[in-house]
């Protein structure tokens, strides 16, 4: 090894030079704040919790991508904020049903894409055919009963169905419409490939052609998304659902904040006008002190529940499920865990969904104190043949710590787990799991709450069906209650199916099938209510709570947010927000 | 030419280690419960949809086939397509890597330089007050809990006195305004870098100071220092010219050897500050079951650490002639 | 003319167990152009004397008594800054283990030039390097190797470079601390010859410190033998080497000759030196001494003049014997 | 956070005595240690935390509402500041923060000590075997060590935690230990290599001692002090990793660790408005790791004869 050049001295030279640069940088940094004030005042700045996944609408299964894409791709119908009733959006009017041919005819408004071309029935039909041809996940099931799509005129689309289906309007026609020109070539190229669906999903859309109020100008990954007003938006100055549309905001800037804390600080600092993400109630006291910040609590179309595995012992026994239901004190969870921001749930359809939610479901001893709950649960179990070494209620009727619960067949009740998502994913469910564990133990049930990573949890529950109980939630349920069918229909009790509890009841199946075919809403409601009552009695799922959606905004620069179920971040808000003109 | 042989041997070792890590991780990701599809809690997603997606992602193939397919594309320079983002993994890494390099190397270099400087001062005044303060200060910096520190820094500098942006890498307001030139934009990035840089700096600075201090104390006992003193050189010359360059070598090694550990801190910092770098991406990819991206990011980190270790060994041999291979 | 005059020098280390007498009551003198050798096993305090003369004692070490006069001025009372100027200018040092005496990250020529630059105000670097070239000529290092780094030198060359460095400022006195220990015999002989010739040429005083009595005997005019911090025998080279008076010197000389005669072992494997934290009241060598009697353990030894130029520090041997 | 891996001990010559006089060495060490300011501070802090851990059993005995995990104050249903009843206030469901802090100390000690112990046992055994056996065993073990050494422990454990669902606290302890032994084994191996050349090992081999006997009777006592030193550093890294893991939400939800407390503050949005809740766990994590680290550094000085050189012989 020969070394014949001088290193050390040059090395030091480099080091000292670097130090100088460092000092210069530091000086520059302190001068930085002066230039951080932007010149554009017209941009509505929104904080996102995470980077959107993609702008490819078919891949975008995450909430953040959808927040962007909802400004861009528009559906034919959408619910209006006050009543959640569907109103025509891209469509001009209600669909016309022809019982003879079992077809729906939809007229489209005169509309243009952001590139200036007309939005025609060809685009609408193309979107439907694309979904059907590629069997695009999340969409294709909603189109399975549509046999044929025709375009009798440039602004008329006709859909032929196998049979009258209730969910066609409420589920199928609320999907986004994409531009034929944009996607035709993509589809053609994808067809040639070995995996056409993957090719379609992985197609990179740099700048989606928009039919909505905004269009994408720039996405700097990891930093921000910039949307601008779409000059060709069809809804400009129209009044839909009783609301006159704008938009009046020139630019939307989406910034990404990894943690809520920082986003809240940004909001307080005025760096963003809205944090588009539900926040924990813990922030409320602090935000209340800030006059510029307003917090808005909206109902969520959600369901957080405890599920039981009905395929195996011990929770295949209704009495045990009922005892568990008796022990769970929803009030405690609501006041402590949710800090009062949410609602107790008794039916699998949320109360806010006034039309579909059944008010007569069993409320399982609502308002009863702890000790009485234990007595009730004790009664239920004793009647079904359960026994204890030390019973939870002693001879004098006093509640005591129970142990050694035995099943009706005399066997010791085995340990079982309550699977929950991890605390970082959802602290509410993780902590609820822990509290429920303690409650069940008071009755002598050997319960163990086990938070586990979300993916692993779902695999265990949904695919392997290897669990006793779990706590999960649907954060965003559709308004149409058809989902009850997918949750409990016996056909969906299979790996990756949504009937996670393994509930099988021919009576329920009959009701569910019937409810799909009835077009008249009131008739259909009867069936849906019956289904809810059945679930409430048999308890495959025990609905527990749904959290409120708390959102924080600043009103000093923009005003006109439209409150709605699932939050103020709806398209109505973005179409109606106006800059607050400063007095000076 | 011994050195060349040594480098060659090490390179072979590194390659082997690299592929072992690749294989272990590949198996780990595939065998772990959960897959990218099962995470989608959406009642619209039917069982058929899920099966079709799994098939399209190639996850229905037997493990061996999947592994061979991965290796094949790996050698043709294709790291696959991210399950989550739906774009090639290399694109994502290409976007994130420069950010990480910018933040990480700046912080390490700054911390090493200041650490060396203050370590020198501490050792020179061994046993005096300034030494005790510097040492205790460094120990505290070194053991501070990083995420906690980061949050407090955000609160204080970003919010309370508000000198710096809270997080992120740039201000959209500045970057979307075409009037702002390159210089202003770079300044904006540096402005955003200040707080994460400060966090990483504090964490690294302490350890470099301590290494430098003890290394300098060792060096001061060397004969050539006595020679220098006997020569009647001024103390400052002895310290800066004779002792420090020799003592700084172990600091350089410690920078490389601790790289794996520093990367932990880097990932935490990136996560807390939403700095769009590789570390944060890795944490995300893992929790999203995005195997191709997670695997590639981790392999990238592993190869960087491996090469850095090799580089430092070579550099060390080059700088310090007493070491031979 | 007396160049260096040391009287009753004692040095002690502060340790956890109390003060440790590393050097005790040592006196000697050195004339200009002459060589004095100190010999003794490691840890006997001989190197400490060298460091004390340079004013380079570690911080926990103090000169407890005695005086050091160099060219008539008292070295011990000089201020740190004055001392720094005297160093190398007047007294230079050749260190033991020359391998480590050169800084590995600087060129050899720079390290020598540095000494010149530090002590010659106003000299330019070019002039200093010109002087270095002359020095390298003097110690016979090829000029083209001047700008190498220390590790590129062989052991002998390093030692030569260290000697060149010591000569850089034309000092009056050089303290050579084990200058040849790490070298093989042939190189060692070359270096010693070189030192001798340079000494003659420049009229240097040399204080030569070594554990090897044969080397000392080869180079020096006078020899001092040290044991456990004390000087035990002092005298003219020939007298000490040829008729050693102190049993320890006898042992040293004996083992040396035995080595020369090859194939046989040293006469005695040296046992541990006495604990200097609490030295025994009597002779420190008595545990290893073959001639010592009981009185040696309790009675302090005395200086015994064997001749004008030869004295030993012992208690059982009468001068008449 | 790299420091623990490379104290100067790596290059230390085998300066340990052949026969090991435990008591004498301990006394000597203690004498030096006592004069070491940093060591004293470290030990004092450690004592304080030890006391906290011991006291963690007391609050639940006073009143079940002080149970760190399941006890809630019936009168309080949101986070409140310090009061007489709750010295450090309560968390968002009315649990007492002070008793959580005490329980956290217990967990921190448990995690730190047990994971350090396991990694040291592993590292020492592997290091001794590699150093003693040499050849293929050495190469294989050291390559394995290299491989593990380049992995960022936190990220790896995070990946595993994320992949396999929530890990229990003991799995986390084990995982940390499994990824933290290579540094120790390298040093122990170097030490073993020098010991192997010593005459007393040769003598034992000639006398017919078995390999296991040589390793455990002759080599181990000589490398043990070094292992102990490394243990203090491993404790710090284990505590930090567990805390970071819990903070990111991958900890064991059934334990009240300081990292978990921080996660609760963070995830429930109290970060910047409940300093009484945010500050104590963070300060405790930092101080406990600091105290172990200080202890380690001063032990390093006690064990390293070279650092004492200046006052005994020159």
């Amino acid at each position: 090894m020969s070394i014949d050049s001088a290193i050390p001295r040059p090395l030091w030279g480099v080091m000292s030079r670097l130090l100088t640069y460092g000092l210069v940088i530091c000086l520059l940094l302190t001068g930085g704040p002066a230039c951080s004030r932007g010149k554009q005042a017209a941009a509505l700045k929104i904080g996102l919790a995470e980077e959107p996944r993609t702008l490819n609408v078919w891949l975008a299964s995450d909430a953040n991508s959808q927040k962007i894409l909802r400004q861009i791709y528009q559906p034919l119908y959408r619910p209006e904020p006050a009543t959640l009733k569907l109103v025509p959006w891209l469509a001009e009017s209600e669909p016309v049903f022809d019982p003879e041919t079992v077809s729906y005819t939809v007229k489209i408004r005169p509309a243009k894409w952001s590139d200036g071309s007309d939005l025609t029935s060809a685009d609408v039909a193309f979107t439907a055919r694309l979904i059907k041809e590629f069997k695009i996940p999340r969409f294709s099931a909603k189109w399975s009963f549509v046999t044929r799509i025709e375009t009798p005129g440039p602004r008329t689309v006709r859909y032929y169905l196998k049979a009258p289906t209730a969910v066609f309007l409420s589920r199928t026609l609320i999907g986004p419409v994409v531009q034929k020109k944009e996607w035709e070539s993509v589809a053609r190229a994808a067809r040639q490939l070995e995996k056409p669906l993957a090719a379609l999903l992985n197609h990179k859309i740099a700048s989606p052609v928009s039919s909505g109020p905004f269009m994408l100008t720039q996405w700097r990954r990891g930093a921000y998304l910039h949307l601008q007003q779409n000059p060709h938006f069809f809804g400009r100055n129209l009044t839909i659902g009783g609301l006159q549309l704008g938009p009046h905001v020139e630019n939307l800037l989406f910034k990404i904040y990894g943690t809520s804390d920082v986003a809240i600080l940004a909001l307080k600092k005025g760096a963003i006008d809205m944090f588009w993400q539900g926040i924990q109630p813990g922030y409320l006291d602090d935000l209340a002190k800030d006059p510029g910040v307003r917090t808005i609590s909206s109902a969520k179309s959600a369901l957080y529940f405890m599920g039981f595995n009905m395929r195996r012992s011990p929770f295949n026994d209704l009495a045990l499920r009922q005892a568990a239901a008796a022990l769970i004190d929803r009030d405690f969870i609501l006041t402590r865990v949710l800090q009062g921001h949410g609602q107790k749930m008794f039916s699998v359809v949320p109360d806010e969904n006034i039309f579909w939610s059944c008010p007569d479901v069993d409320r399982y001893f609502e308002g009863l104190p702890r000790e009485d709950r234990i007595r009730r649960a004790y009664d239920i179990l004793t009647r079904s043949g359960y026994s204890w070494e030390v019973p939870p209620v002693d001879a004098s009727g006093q509640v005591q710590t129970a142990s050694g619960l035995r099943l009706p067949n005399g066997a010791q009740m085995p340990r079982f787990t309550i699977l929950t998502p991890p605390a970082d994913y959802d602290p509410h469910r993780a902590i609820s799991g822990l509290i429920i564990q303690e409650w069940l133990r008071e009755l002598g049930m050997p319960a163990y709450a086990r938070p586990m990573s979300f993916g692993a949890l779902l695999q265990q529950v949904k695919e392997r069906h290897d669990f006793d109980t779990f706590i999960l939630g649907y954060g965003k349920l559709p308004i149409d209650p058809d989902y009850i069918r997918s949750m409990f229909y016996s056909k969906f009790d299979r790996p990756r199916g949504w009937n996670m509890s393994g509930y099988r009841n021919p009576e329920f199946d009959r009701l569910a099938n019937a409810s799909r075919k009835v077009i008249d809403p009131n008739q259909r409601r009867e069936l849906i209510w019956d289904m809810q009552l059945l679930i409430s009695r048999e308890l495959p799922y025990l609905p527990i709570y749904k959290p409120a959606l708390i959102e924080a905004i600043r009103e000093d620069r923009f005003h006109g947010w439209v409150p709605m179920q699932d939050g103020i971040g709806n398209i109505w808000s973005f179409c109606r927000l106006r800059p607050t003109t400063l007095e000076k | 030419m011994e050195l060349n042989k040594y480098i060659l041997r090490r390179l072979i070792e590194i390659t082997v280690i690299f592929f072992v890590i690749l294989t272990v991780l590949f198996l780990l990701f595939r065998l772990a419960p959960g897959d990218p599809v099962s995470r989608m809690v959406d009642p619209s997603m039917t069982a058929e949809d899920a099966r079709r997606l799994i098939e399209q992602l190639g996850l229905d193939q037997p493990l061996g086939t999947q592994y061979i397919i991965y290796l094949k594309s790996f050698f043709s320079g294709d790291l696959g397509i991210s399950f989550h983002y739906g774009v090639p993994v290399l694109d994502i890494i290409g976007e994130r890597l420069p950010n990480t390099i910018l933040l990480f190397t700046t912080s390490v270099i700054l911390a090493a330089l200041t650490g060396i400087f203050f370590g020198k001062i501490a050792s020179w005044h061994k046993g005096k007050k300034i030494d005790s303060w510097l040492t205790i200060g460094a120990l505290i910096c070194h053991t501070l809990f990083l995420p906690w520190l980061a949050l407090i820094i955000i609160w204080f500098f970003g919010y309370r006195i508000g000198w710096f942006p809270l997080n992120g890498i740039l201000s959209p307001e500045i970057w979307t305004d075409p009037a702002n030139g390159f210089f202003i934009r770079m300044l904006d990035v540096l402005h955003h870098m200040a707080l994460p840089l400060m966090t990483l700096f504090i964490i690294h600075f302490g350890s470099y100071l301590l290494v430098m201090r003890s290394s300098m104390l060792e060096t001061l006992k060397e004969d050539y220092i006595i020679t220098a003193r006997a020569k009647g050189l001024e103390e400052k010359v002895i310290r800066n010219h004779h002792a420090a360059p020799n003592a700084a070598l172990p600091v350089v090694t410690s920078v490389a050897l601790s790289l794996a550990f520093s990367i932990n801190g880097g990932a935490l910092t990136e996560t807390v500050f939403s700095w769009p770098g590789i570390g944060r991406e890795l944490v995300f990819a893992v929790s999203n079951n995005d195997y191709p991206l997670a695997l590639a990011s981790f392999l990238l980190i592993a190869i960087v650490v491996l090469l850095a270790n090799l580089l430092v060994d070579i550099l060390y041999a080059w700088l310090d002639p007493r070491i031979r291979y | 003319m007396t160049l260096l005059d040391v009287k009753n020098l004692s040095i002690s280390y502060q340790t956890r167990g109390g003060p440790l007498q590393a050097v005790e009551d040592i006196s000697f003198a050195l004339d200009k152009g002459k060589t004095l050798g100190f010999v003794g096993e490691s840890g006997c305090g001989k190197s400490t004397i060298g460091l004390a003369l340079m004013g380079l004692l570690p911080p926990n070490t103090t000169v407890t008594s005695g005086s050091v006069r160099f060219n008539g001025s008292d070295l011990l009372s000089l201020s740190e800054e004055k001392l720094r100027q005297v160093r190398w200018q007047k007294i230079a040092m050749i260190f033991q283990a020359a391998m480590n005496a050169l800084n590995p990250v600087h060129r050899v020529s720079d390290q020598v030039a540095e000494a010149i630059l530090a002590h010659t105000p106003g000299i330019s670097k070019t002039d200093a390097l010109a002087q270095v070239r002359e020095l390298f000529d003097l110690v016979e290092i090829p000029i083209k190797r001047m700008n190498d780094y220390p590790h590129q030198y062989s052991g002998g060359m390093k030692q030569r470079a260290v000697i060149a460095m010591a000569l850089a400022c034309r000092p009056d006195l050089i303290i050579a601390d084990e200058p040849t220990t790490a070298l093989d015999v042939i190189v060692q002989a070359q270096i010693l010859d070189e030192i001798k010739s340079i000494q003659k040429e420049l009229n240097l005083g040399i204080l030569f410190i070594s554990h090897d009595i044969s080397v000392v005997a080869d180079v020096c005019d006078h020899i001092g033998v040290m044991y456990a911090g004390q000087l035990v025998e002092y005298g003219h080279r020939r007298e000490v080497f040829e008729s050693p008076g102190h049993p320890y010197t006898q042992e040293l000389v004996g083992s040396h000759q035995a080595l020369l005669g090859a194939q046989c072992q040293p006469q005695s494997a040296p046992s541990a030196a006495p604990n200097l934290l609490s030295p025994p009241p009597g002779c420190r060598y008595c545990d290893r001494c073959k001639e010592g009697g009981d009185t040696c353990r309790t009675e302090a030894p005395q200086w015994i003049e064997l001749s004008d130029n030869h004295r030993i520090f012992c208690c059982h041997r009468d001068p008449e014997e | 956070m790299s420091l623990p891996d490379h104290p100067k001990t790596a290059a230390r010559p085998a300066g340990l005595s052949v026969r090991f006089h435990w008591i004498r060495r301990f006394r000597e060490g203690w004498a030096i240690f006592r004069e070491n300011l940093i060591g004293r501070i470290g030990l004092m802090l450690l004592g304080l935390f030890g006391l906290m851990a011991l006291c963690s059993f007391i609050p639940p005995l006073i009143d079940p509402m002080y149970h760190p995990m399941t006890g809630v104050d019936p009168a309080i249903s949101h986070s409140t500041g310090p009061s007489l009843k709750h010295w450090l206030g309560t968390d968002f469901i009315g649990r007492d923060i002070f008793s959580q802090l005490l329980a956290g100390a217990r967990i921190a000690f448990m995690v730190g000590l047990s994971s350090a112990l396991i990694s040291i046992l592993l590292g020492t055994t592997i290091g001794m075997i590699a150093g003693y056996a040499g050849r293929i065993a050495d190469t294989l073990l050291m390559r394995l060590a290299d491989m593990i050494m380049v992995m960022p422990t936190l990220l790896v454990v995070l990946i595993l935690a994320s992949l396999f669902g929530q890990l229990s606290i003991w799995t986390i302890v084990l995982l940390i230990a499994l990824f933290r032994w290579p540094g120790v084994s390298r040093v122990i191996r170097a030490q073993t290599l020098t010991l192997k050349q010593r005459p007393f090992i040769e003598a034992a081999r000639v006398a017919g001692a078995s390999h296991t006997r040589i390793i455990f009777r002759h080599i181990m006592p000589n490398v043990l002090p070094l292992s102990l030193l490394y243990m203090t550093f491993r404790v710090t890294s284990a505590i930090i990793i567990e805390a970071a893991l819990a903070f990111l939400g991958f900890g064991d939800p059934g334990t009240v660790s300081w990292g978990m407390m921080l996660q609760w503050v963070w995830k429930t949005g109290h970060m910047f408005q409940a300093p009484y809740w945010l500050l104590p766990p963070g300060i405790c994590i930092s101080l406990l790791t600091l105290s172990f680290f200080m202890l380690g550094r001063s032990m390093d000085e006690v064990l390293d004869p070279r650092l004492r050189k200046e006052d005994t012989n020159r």
Side-chain angles (χ1 to χ4, degrees), chain D residues 55-68 99 102 106:
Chain D
C55 290
S56 67
F57 298 98
I58 300 173
L61 297 179
I62 298 172
D63 190 311
M65 82 176 177
Y66 290 122
H67 190 282
S99 47
L102 294 184
R106 194 176 68 222

Side-chain angles (χ1 to χ4, degrees), chain B residues 152-168:
Chain B
I152 285 177
I153 283 182
I154 291 180
W155 179 77
F156 187 74
F157 291 98
Y159 179 70
R160 197 61 226 273
I161 52 175
W163 288 356
F164 299 102
L166 296 162
N167 71 359

Side-chain angles (χ1 to χ4, degrees), chain C residues 6 32 45 48 63 101 120 136-137 139 166 178 215 219 239 255 272 298 315 320:
Chain C
V6 176
K32 214 167 183 162
T48 309
V63 173
T120 325
F136 275 36
D137 250 351
V139 296
E178 307 265 15
V215 171
V219 183
E239 288 179 49
S255 65
T298 48
C315 39
E320 291 80 31

Side-chain angles (χ1 to χ4, degrees), chain A residues 49 89 108 235 268 289 326 570:
Chain A
W89 182 255
I108 307 168
K268 284 165 71 177
K289 286 181 216 140
N570 52 61

Side-chain angles (χ1 to χ4, degrees), chain A residues 145-206:
Chain A
F145 44 80
V146 178
T147 50
R148 196 153 47 91
I149 301 139
E150 274 177 8
T151 51
R155 283 172 46 210
T156 318
V157 194
R158 187 166 297 138
Y159 304 93
Y160 294 91
L161 275 60
K162 280 181 197 155
T165 309
V167 296
F168 177 68
L169 175 59
S170 58
R171 305 264 291 130
T172 312
L173 290 187
I174 59 169
V177 172
V178 299
Q179 194 192 28
K180 185 178 178 187
K181 197 167 80 187
E182 188 181 22
W183 284 94
E184 204 169 27
S185 54
V186 181
R188 202 180 306 123
R191 270 180 216 119
Q192 311 300 318
L193 294 170
E194 194 187 344
K195 288 177 175 170
L197 177 59
L200 187 77
L201 294 185
N202 292 339
H203 175 70
K204 191 174 176 182
I205 293 280

Side-chain angles (χ1 to χ4, degrees), chain B residues 47-233:
Chain B
E48 288 75 28
D49 285 347
R51 216 186 32 247
R52 208 158 39 244
L53 261 185
I54 291 285
E55 189 188 86
Q56 295 286 321
L57 292 173
L59 293 175
D60 56 334
Q61 302 280 327
L63 206 62
T65 322
Q66 285 188 47
Y67 181 63
I68 288 167
I69 291 173
Y70 187 82
L71 276 189
K72 257 190 205 156
S73 58
F74 182 87
F75 282 113
S76 61
D78 174 16
L79 294 179
I81 289 178
S82 156
F83 291 169
H84 185 69
Y85 295 108
V87 291
V89 166
L90 276 176
D91 288 7
I92 298 169
I93 290 183
E95 270 164 14
R96 307 296 205 236
L97 190 60
N99 301 335
T100 296
I101 292 175
L102 178 68
L103 175 63
F104 199 72
T105 46
T106 318
S107 73
V108 167
I109 289 172
L110 275 184
L113 289 181
T114 16
I116 286 173
F117 180 75
F118 285 103
K120 196 169 78 183
I121 291 182
S123 65
W124 198 255
H125 299 278
K126 182 176 188 262
K128 302 215 185 87
K129 222 170 218 156
I130 182 164
D131 175 37
S132 311
W133 283 117
L134 279 174
T135 310
I136 290 179
L139 280 170
I140 290 174
C141 284
H142 178 66
T143 50
L144 275 177
F145 186 51
L146 194 146
W148 185 73
L149 173 73
L151 285 160
I152 285 177
I153 283 182
I154 291 180
W155 179 77
F156 187 74
F157 291 98
Y159 179 70
R160 197 61 226 273
I161 52 175
W163 288 356
F164 299 102
L166 296 162
N167 71 359
I169 186 170
L170 48 85
S171 332
E173 292 86 350
I174 287 175
W175 282 65
T176 49
D177 187 347
N180 288 319
F182 179 76
F183 184 69
I184 302 254
R185 290 181 176 199
M186 282 304 114
L187 216 57
D188 180 50
V189 169
L190 289 180
H191 191 205
H192 278 77
M193 200 167 84
L195 293 187
L197 191 66
M198 190 190 297
T199 311
L200 281 176
F201 176 83
I202 290 176
I203 296 291
H204 289 151
F205 159 77
S207 70
Y208 296 149
L209 189 153
L210 295 173
V211 173
M212 179 65 184
R213 181 180 172 274
S214 28
S215 150
M216 185 88 168
L217 287 177
E218 290 285 304
T219 309
L220 287 177
K221 287 183 207 141
E222 294 282 351
D223 291 325
Y224 52 79
I225 299 299
I226 303 176
T227 312
R229 212 167 259 152
K231 274 199 276 190
L233 300 181

Side-chain angles (χ1 to χ4, degrees), chain A residues 113-155:
Chain A
W113 291 102
S114 56
D115 61 2
S117 59
D118 284 329
L119 192 161
T120 63
S121 57
D123 292 313
V124 179
F126 171 80
T127 306
R129 288 179 190 135
L130 189 74
I131 292 171
K132 282 181 74 68
E133 180 194 342
F134 284 87
K135 294 201 171 60
I136 297 173
R138 294 184 300 125
F139 295 91
S140 67
K142 298 174 192 165
W143 288 90
S144 56
F145 44 80
V146 178
T147 50
R148 196 153 47 91
I149 301 139
E150 274 177 8
T151 51
R155 283 172 46 210

